[in-house]
Amino acid sequence: MFFSVDVSDQFLYAVEGNVSGGIVTVVNSGEMRLPEGTVEDGIVKNHAAFVMALNKLHALDLFGN
């Protein structure tokens, strides 16, 4: 099992999946809008807001917990 996170200035995207025999299967995915100013030009400016967004994705059971 793996998960991948991608961050833009406005969104946090996450994907959970499996790899078997060189084939990647996406199990779940989600996105969370980031509060304005959290990420600017690829740099996390507000770490607390970033962590809260990641925790909200986790609470939505994206990662199967």
Side-chain angles (χ1 to χ4, degrees):
M1 186 74 60
F2 71 89
F3 73 91
S4 177
V5 176
D6 183 47
V7 182
S8 73
D9 285 354
Q10 296 181 4
F11 285 93
L12 173 65
Y13 304 95
V15 176
E16 175 186 27
N18 294 310
V19 178
S20 178
I23 297 173
V24 176
T25 304
V26 174
V27 175
N28 208 348
S29 64
E31 65 182 47
M32 181 70 53
R33 181 175 274 289
L34 294 170
E36 188 173 334
T38 300
V39 177
E40 295 176 4
D41 295 324
I43 298 170
V44 177
K45 297 288 188 171
N46 184 337
H47 290 86
F50 182 81
V51 170
M52 282 194 337
L54 188 57
N55 283 334
K56 284 181 183 180
L57 276 177
H58 187 268
L60 294 173
D61 201 27
L62 174 64
F63 305 118
N65 293 324

Coordinates of all heavy atoms in Angstrom, one line a residue:
M1 N 0.8 -1.2 0.0 CA 0.0 0.0 0.0 C 0.9 1.2 0.0 O 1.9 1.3 0.7 CB -0.9 0.0 1.2 CG -1.9 1.1 1.3 SD -3.3 0.9 0.2 CE -4.1 -0.6 0.8
F2 N 0.5 2.2 -0.8 CA 1.3 3.5 -0.8 C 0.3 4.6 -0.9 O -0.9 4.4 -1.2 CB 2.2 3.5 -2.0 CG 1.6 3.7 -3.3 CD1 1.3 4.9 -3.8 CD2 1.2 2.6 -4.0 CE1 0.6 5.1 -5.0 CE2 0.5 2.7 -5.3 CZ 0.3 4.0 -5.7
F3 N 0.8 5.8 -0.6 CA 0.0 7.0 -0.9 C 0.9 8.1 -1.4 O 2.1 8.1 -1.0 CB -0.9 7.5 0.3 CG -0.1 8.1 1.4 CD1 0.1 9.5 1.5 CD2 0.4 7.4 2.5 CE1 0.8 10.1 2.5 CE2 1.0 8.0 3.5 CZ 1.2 9.3 3.5
S4 N 0.4 8.9 -2.2 CA 1.1 10.0 -2.8 C 0.4 11.3 -2.6 O -0.9 11.3 -2.6 CB 1.3 9.7 -4.3 OG 1.9 10.8 -5.0
V5 N 1.1 12.4 -2.4 CA 0.5 13.7 -2.2 C 1.1 14.6 -3.2 O 2.3 14.6 -3.5 CB 0.8 14.2 -0.7 CG1 0.3 15.6 -0.5 CG2 0.3 13.2 0.3
D6 N 0.2 15.4 -3.8 CA 0.6 16.5 -4.7 C 0.0 17.8 -4.1 O -1.1 17.8 -3.7 CB 0.1 16.2 -6.1 CG 0.5 17.3 -7.1 OD1 1.7 17.6 -7.1 OD2 -0.3 17.7 -7.9
V7 N 0.8 18.9 -4.2 CA 0.3 20.1 -3.6 C 0.4 21.2 -4.7 O 1.4 21.3 -5.4 CB 1.3 20.5 -2.5 CG1 0.8 21.8 -1.8 CG2 1.3 19.4 -1.4
S8 N -0.7 22.0 -4.8 CA -0.6 23.2 -5.6 C -0.9 24.4 -4.7 O -1.0 24.2 -3.5 CB -1.7 23.1 -6.7 OG -3.0 23.3 -6.1
D9 N -0.9 25.6 -5.3 CA -1.2 26.8 -4.5 C -2.6 26.8 -3.8 O -2.8 27.4 -2.8 CB -1.0 28.0 -5.3 CG 0.5 28.3 -5.5 OD1 1.4 27.6 -5.0 OD2 0.8 29.3 -6.3
Q10 N -3.5 26.0 -4.5 CA -4.9 26.0 -4.0 C -5.4 24.7 -3.5 O -6.4 24.7 -2.7 CB -5.8 26.5 -5.1 CG -5.5 27.9 -5.6 CD -6.5 28.3 -6.7 OE1 -7.4 27.6 -7.1 NE2 -6.3 29.5 -7.2
F11 N -4.8 23.6 -3.8 CA -5.3 22.3 -3.4 C -4.2 21.3 -3.0 O -3.0 21.4 -3.4 CB -6.0 21.6 -4.6 CG -7.3 22.2 -5.0 CD1 -7.4 23.2 -5.9 CD2 -8.5 21.7 -4.3 CE1 -8.7 23.7 -6.2 CE2 -9.7 22.2 -4.6 CZ -9.8 23.2 -5.6
L12 N -4.6 20.4 -2.1 CA -3.8 19.3 -1.7 C -4.5 18.0 -2.2 O -5.7 17.8 -2.0 CB -3.8 19.2 -0.1 CG -3.1 18.0 0.5 CD1 -1.7 18.0 0.2 CD2 -3.3 18.0 2.0
Y13 N -3.8 17.3 -3.0 CA -4.4 16.1 -3.7 C -3.7 14.9 -3.1 O -2.4 14.9 -2.8 CB -4.1 16.1 -5.2 CG -4.6 17.3 -5.9 CD1 -3.8 18.4 -6.2 CD2 -6.0 17.3 -6.3 CE1 -4.3 19.5 -6.8 CE2 -6.4 18.4 -7.0 CZ -5.6 19.5 -7.3 OH -6.1 20.6 -7.9
A14 N -4.4 13.8 -2.8 CA -3.8 12.6 -2.3 C -4.4 11.3 -3.0 O -5.6 11.3 -3.4 CB -4.0 12.5 -0.8
V15 N -3.5 10.3 -3.2 CA -3.9 9.1 -3.9 C -3.4 7.9 -3.0 O -2.3 7.9 -2.6 CB -3.4 9.0 -5.3 CG1 -3.7 7.7 -5.9 CG2 -3.9 10.1 -6.2
E16 N -4.2 6.9 -2.8 CA -3.9 5.7 -2.1 C -3.9 4.6 -3.2 O -4.9 4.5 -4.0 CB -4.8 5.4 -1.0 CG -4.6 4.1 -0.3 CD -5.7 3.8 0.7 OE1 -6.8 4.3 0.5 OE2 -5.4 3.1 1.7
G17 N -2.9 3.7 -3.2 CA -3.0 2.6 -4.2 C -2.1 1.4 -3.8 O -1.5 1.4 -2.7
N18 N -2.1 0.5 -4.7 CA -1.3 -0.7 -4.6 C -0.5 -0.9 -5.8 O -0.9 -0.5 -6.9 CB -2.2 -2.0 -4.4 CG -3.0 -2.0 -3.2 OD1 -2.5 -1.8 -2.1 ND2 -4.3 -2.1 -3.3
V19 N 0.6 -1.6 -5.7 CA 1.5 -2.0 -6.8 C 1.6 -3.5 -6.8 O 2.0 -4.1 -5.7 CB 2.9 -1.3 -6.8 CG1 3.7 -1.8 -8.0 CG2 2.7 0.2 -6.8
S20 N 1.4 -4.2 -7.9 CA 1.6 -5.6 -8.0 C 2.0 -6.0 -9.4 O 1.3 -5.6 -10.3 CB 0.3 -6.4 -7.6 OG 0.4 -7.8 -7.7
G21 N 3.1 -6.6 -9.5 CA 3.6 -7.0 -10.8 C 3.8 -5.9 -11.8 O 3.6 -6.0 -13.0
G22 N 4.2 -4.7 -11.2 CA 4.4 -3.6 -12.1 C 3.2 -2.8 -12.5 O 3.2 -1.9 -13.2
I23 N 2.0 -3.2 -11.9 CA 0.8 -2.6 -12.2 C 0.3 -1.8 -11.0 O 0.2 -2.3 -9.9 CB -0.3 -3.6 -12.6 CG1 0.1 -4.3 -13.9 CG2 -1.7 -2.9 -12.8 CD1 -0.8 -5.5 -14.3
V24 N 0.0 -0.5 -11.2 CA -0.4 0.4 -10.2 C -2.0 0.4 -10.2 O -2.6 0.7 -11.3 CB 0.1 1.8 -10.3 CG1 -0.4 2.7 -9.3 CG2 1.7 1.8 -10.3
T25 N -2.6 0.2 -9.1 CA -4.0 0.3 -8.9 C -4.4 1.4 -7.9 O -3.9 1.3 -6.8 CB -4.6 -1.1 -8.4 OG1 -4.2 -2.1 -9.3 CG2 -6.1 -1.0 -8.4
V26 N -5.2 2.3 -8.3 CA -5.6 3.4 -7.4 C -6.8 2.9 -6.7 O -7.8 2.4 -7.2 CB -6.0 4.7 -8.2 CG1 -6.6 5.7 -7.3 CG2 -4.8 5.2 -8.9
V27 N -6.7 2.9 -5.3 CA -7.7 2.4 -4.4 C -8.6 3.6 -4.0 O -9.9 3.4 -3.9 CB -7.1 1.8 -3.2 CG1 -8.2 1.4 -2.2 CG2 -6.2 0.6 -3.6
N28 N -8.1 4.7 -3.8 CA -8.8 5.9 -3.3 C -8.1 7.2 -3.6 O -6.9 7.1 -3.8 CB -9.1 5.8 -1.8 CG -10.4 6.4 -1.3 OD1 -11.0 7.2 -2.1 ND2 -10.8 6.2 -0.1
S29 N -8.8 8.2 -3.7 CA -8.2 9.5 -4.0 C -9.1 10.6 -3.4 O -10.3 10.4 -3.1 CB -8.0 9.8 -5.5 OG -9.2 9.9 -6.1
G30 N -8.5 11.8 -3.1 CA -9.2 12.9 -2.6 C -8.5 14.2 -2.8 O -7.3 14.2 -3.2
E31 N -9.2 15.2 -2.6 CA -8.6 16.6 -2.7 C -9.1 17.5 -1.6 O -10.3 17.2 -1.1 CB -8.8 17.2 -4.0 CG -10.2 17.5 -4.4 CD -10.3 18.1 -5.8 OE1 -9.8 17.5 -6.7 OE2 -11.1 19.1 -5.9
M32 N -8.4 18.4 -1.2 CA -8.8 19.4 -0.2 C -8.3 20.8 -0.6 O -7.2 20.9 -0.9 CB -8.2 19.0 1.2 CG -8.5 19.9 2.4 SD -10.3 19.7 2.9 CE -10.4 18.0 3.2
R33 N -9.3 21.7 -0.6 CA -8.9 23.1 -0.9 C -8.1 23.6 0.2 O -8.4 23.5 1.4 CB -10.1 24.0 -1.2 CG -9.7 25.4 -1.5 CD -10.9 26.3 -1.9 NE -11.3 26.2 -3.2 CZ -10.6 26.7 -4.3 NH1 -9.5 27.3 -4.1 NH2 -11.1 26.6 -5.5
L34 N -6.9 24.2 -0.1 CA -6.1 24.8 1.0 C -6.5 26.3 1.2 O -6.9 27.0 0.3 CB -4.6 24.9 0.5 CG -4.0 23.5 0.3 CD1 -2.6 23.6 -0.4 CD2 -3.8 22.8 1.7
P35 N -6.5 26.7 2.5 CA -6.8 28.1 2.7 C -5.8 29.0 2.0 O -4.6 28.7 1.8 CB -6.6 28.2 4.3 CG -6.7 26.9 4.8 CD -6.2 26.0 3.7
E36 N -6.3 30.2 1.6 CA -5.5 31.1 0.8 C -4.2 31.4 1.6 O -4.2 31.7 2.8 CB -6.3 32.4 0.5 CG -5.6 33.3 -0.4 CD -6.4 34.5 -0.8 OE1 -7.7 34.4 -0.8 OE2 -5.8 35.6 -1.1
G37 N -3.1 31.4 0.9 CA -1.8 31.7 1.5 C -1.1 30.6 2.1 O 0.0 30.8 2.6
T38 N -1.7 29.4 2.1 CA -1.0 28.2 2.7 C 0.2 27.8 1.9 O 1.3 27.6 2.5 CB -2.0 27.0 2.8 OG1 -3.1 27.4 3.6 CG2 -1.3 25.8 3.4
V39 N 0.1 27.8 0.6 CA 1.2 27.5 -0.3 C 1.3 28.6 -1.3 O 0.3 29.0 -1.9 CB 1.0 26.1 -1.0 CG1 2.2 25.9 -2.0 CG2 0.9 25.0 0.0
E40 N 2.5 29.1 -1.5 CA 2.8 30.2 -2.5 C 4.0 29.8 -3.3 O 5.1 29.6 -2.7 CB 3.0 31.5 -1.8 CG 1.7 32.0 -1.0 CD 2.0 33.3 -0.3 OE1 3.1 33.9 -0.4 OE2 1.1 33.8 0.4
D41 N 3.8 29.8 -4.6 CA 5.0 29.5 -5.5 C 5.7 28.2 -5.1 O 6.9 28.1 -5.1 CB 6.0 30.6 -5.6 CG 5.3 31.9 -6.2 OD1 4.5 31.7 -7.1 OD2 5.7 33.0 -5.8
G42 N 4.9 27.2 -4.7 CA 5.5 25.9 -4.3 C 6.1 25.8 -3.0 O 6.7 24.8 -2.6
I43 N 6.0 26.8 -2.2 CA 6.5 26.8 -0.8 C 5.4 26.9 0.2 O 4.5 27.7 0.1 CB 7.5 28.0 -0.6 CG1 8.6 27.9 -1.6 CG2 8.0 28.1 0.8 CD1 9.5 29.2 -1.7
V44 N 5.5 25.9 1.2 CA 4.5 25.9 2.2 C 4.7 27.1 3.2 O 5.8 27.2 3.8 CB 4.5 24.6 3.0 CG1 3.5 24.7 4.2 CG2 4.2 23.4 2.1
K45 N 3.8 28.1 3.2 CA 4.0 29.3 4.0 C 3.3 29.1 5.4 O 3.7 29.8 6.3 CB 3.4 30.5 3.3 CG 4.2 30.8 2.0 CD 5.5 31.4 2.3 CE 6.1 31.9 1.0 NZ 7.4 32.6 1.2
N46 N 2.2 28.3 5.4 CA 1.4 28.2 6.6 C 1.4 26.7 6.9 O 0.5 25.9 6.5 CB 0.0 28.7 6.5 CG -0.8 28.7 7.7 OD1 -0.5 27.9 8.6 ND2 -1.8 29.5 7.8
H47 N 2.4 26.2 7.7 CA 2.5 24.8 8.0 C 1.3 24.2 8.8 O 0.8 23.1 8.5 CB 3.8 24.5 8.8 CG 5.0 24.7 7.9 ND1 5.6 25.9 7.7 CD2 5.7 23.8 7.2 CE1 6.6 25.8 6.9 NE2 6.7 24.5 6.6
A48 N 0.7 25.0 9.7 CA -0.4 24.5 10.5 C -1.6 24.3 9.6 O -2.3 23.3 9.7 CB -0.8 25.6 11.5
A49 N -1.9 25.2 8.6 CA -3.0 25.0 7.7 C -2.8 23.8 6.8 O -3.7 23.1 6.5 CB -3.2 26.3 6.9
F50 N -1.5 23.6 6.4 CA -1.2 22.5 5.5 C -1.5 21.2 6.3 O -2.1 20.2 5.7 CB 0.3 22.6 5.1 CG 0.7 21.5 4.2 CD1 0.4 21.5 2.8 CD2 1.4 20.4 4.7 CE1 0.8 20.5 2.0 CE2 1.8 19.3 3.8 CZ 1.5 19.4 2.5
V51 N -1.0 21.1 7.5 CA -1.2 19.9 8.3 C -2.7 19.6 8.6 O -3.2 18.5 8.5 CB -0.4 19.9 9.6 CG1 -0.7 18.8 10.6 CG2 1.1 19.9 9.3
M52 N -3.4 20.7 8.8 CA -4.9 20.5 9.1 C -5.6 20.0 7.8 O -6.4 19.1 7.9 CB -5.5 21.9 9.5 CG -5.2 22.2 11.0 SD -6.2 23.5 11.8 CE -6.8 24.5 10.5
A53 N -5.2 20.5 6.7 CA -5.8 19.9 5.4 C -5.4 18.5 5.2 O -6.3 17.7 4.9 CB -5.3 20.8 4.2
L54 N -4.2 18.1 5.5 CA -3.8 16.7 5.4 C -4.6 15.8 6.4 O -5.1 14.7 6.1 CB -2.3 16.5 5.6 CG -1.7 15.2 5.3 CD1 -2.0 14.7 3.9 CD2 -0.2 15.2 5.5
N55 N -4.7 16.3 7.6 CA -5.5 15.6 8.6 C -7.0 15.5 8.2 O -7.6 14.4 8.5 CB -5.4 16.3 10.0 CG -4.1 16.0 10.6 OD1 -3.4 15.0 10.4 ND2 -3.6 16.9 11.5
K56 N -7.6 16.5 7.6 CA -8.9 16.4 7.2 C -9.1 15.3 6.1 O -10.1 14.6 6.1 CB -9.4 17.8 6.6 CG -9.7 18.8 7.7 CD -10.2 20.1 7.1 CE -10.5 21.1 8.2 NZ -11.0 22.4 7.6
L57 N -8.2 15.2 5.2 CA -8.2 14.2 4.2 C -8.1 12.8 4.8 O -8.9 11.9 4.5 CB -7.0 14.3 3.2 CG -7.2 15.2 2.0 CD1 -5.9 15.3 1.2 CD2 -8.4 14.8 1.1
H58 N -7.3 12.7 5.8 CA -7.1 11.5 6.6 C -8.4 11.1 7.3 O -8.9 10.0 7.3 CB -6.0 11.6 7.6 CG -5.7 10.3 8.3 ND1 -6.2 10.0 9.5 CD2 -4.9 9.3 7.9 CE1 -5.8 8.8 9.8 NE2 -5.0 8.4 8.9
A59 N -9.1 12.1 7.9 CA -10.4 11.9 8.6 C -11.5 11.5 7.7 O -12.4 10.8 8.1 CB -10.8 13.2 9.3
L60 N -11.4 11.8 6.4 CA -12.4 11.4 5.4 C -12.1 9.9 5.0 O -12.8 9.5 4.1 CB -12.3 12.3 4.2 CG -12.7 13.7 4.4 CD1 -12.4 14.6 3.1 CD2 -14.2 13.8 4.8
D61 N -11.2 9.2 5.7 CA -10.9 7.8 5.5 C -10.3 7.6 4.1 O -10.4 6.5 3.6 CB -12.2 7.0 5.6 CG -11.9 5.5 5.9 OD1 -10.8 5.3 6.5 OD2 -12.6 4.7 5.6
L62 N -9.6 8.6 3.6 CA -8.9 8.4 2.3 C -7.9 7.3 2.5 O -7.7 6.5 1.5 CB -8.2 9.7 1.9 CG -7.3 9.6 0.7 CD1 -8.1 9.2 -0.5 CD2 -6.5 10.8 0.5
F63 N -7.2 7.2 3.6 CA -6.1 6.2 3.7 C -6.6 4.9 4.4 O -5.7 4.1 4.8 CB -4.9 6.8 4.5 CG -4.5 8.1 3.8 CD1 -4.5 9.3 4.5 CD2 -4.0 8.1 2.5 CE1 -4.1 10.5 3.8 CE2 -3.6 9.2 1.9 CZ -3.6 10.4 2.6
G64 N -7.9 4.7 4.6 CA -8.4 3.4 5.1 C -8.2 3.2 6.6 O -8.2 2.1 7.0
N65 N -8.1 4.3 7.3 CA -7.9 4.2 8.8 C -9.3 4.4 9.5 O -10.2 5.0 9.1 CB -6.9 5.2 9.3 CG -5.6 4.9 8.8 OD1 -5.2 3.8 8.7 ND2 -4.8 6.0 8.5

